[in-house]
Amino acid sequence: SAFVSDGGNPILDCAFPPIADPPALETALRGIVGVIATGLFLGMASEGFAQWIRQNREAPARLDREAYLHLTQPSIADPVRRYGTIDPTIFRSIVDRCVASPRSCPPPTRATPSRAAAAMADGAAQ
């Protein structure tokens, strides 16, 4: 499906008004346990962003259940961790809050595209 990532995660088609205070939003989002990245990329020039993508894709570590549970533990001054690969089931487990006990996870469901995304797909097919 065009609305599921390579890792099997849903790709959401969202429209938001302009963000009034991007740095404050970044801080608030990063304060949520389990948030790995926000996608705001504040203060990053195009080349810096491309370099950041390369560094992450080339990292040898894999973000899986064990690595995620380690990340949820309190820490002080831990170095940045980069993950070149991600377990395709971890996102859904995080969202469903069943990482610690995978047997309690509900069965996977297929992502449903939003009306806007479906309309765009219909227009592209014509």
Side-chain angles (χ1 to χ4, degrees):
S1 167
F3 304 103
V4 177
S5 74
D6 292 344
N9 301 312
I11 298 173
L12 304 176
D13 178 24
C14 303
F16 296 99
I19 300 169
D21 189 351
L25 177 60
E26 172 95 359
T27 300
L29 290 172
R30 288 188 177 273
I32 299 170
V33 173
V35 170
I36 297 167
T38 65
L40 295 178
F41 307 108
L42 301 179
M44 235 185 241
S46 295
E47 182 51 38
F49 178 71
Q51 180 181 4
W52 179 82
I53 293 289
R54 277 192 304 277
Q55 286 176 329
N56 286 291
R57 285 186 175 161
E58 294 170 358
R62 176 178 172 81
L63 181 61
D64 55 17
R65 181 181 160 287
E66 182 180 338
Y68 177 79
L69 289 173
H70 179 76
L71 289 172
T72 65
Q73 299 305 307
S75 61
I76 296 174
D78 273 5
V80 171
R81 289 183 173 85
R82 299 182 188 281
Y83 299 93
T85 58
I86 299 173
D87 177 331
T89 64
I90 195 71
F91 177 79
R92 177 63 21 210
S93 296
I94 294 166
V95 170
D96 291 339
R97 298 177 184 220
C98 60
V99 177
S101 179
R103 290 185 180 163
S104 67
C105 286
T109 58
R110 190 170 182 91
T112 304
S114 70
R115 285 187 205 154
M120 287 176 18
D122 288 344
Q126 294 176 359

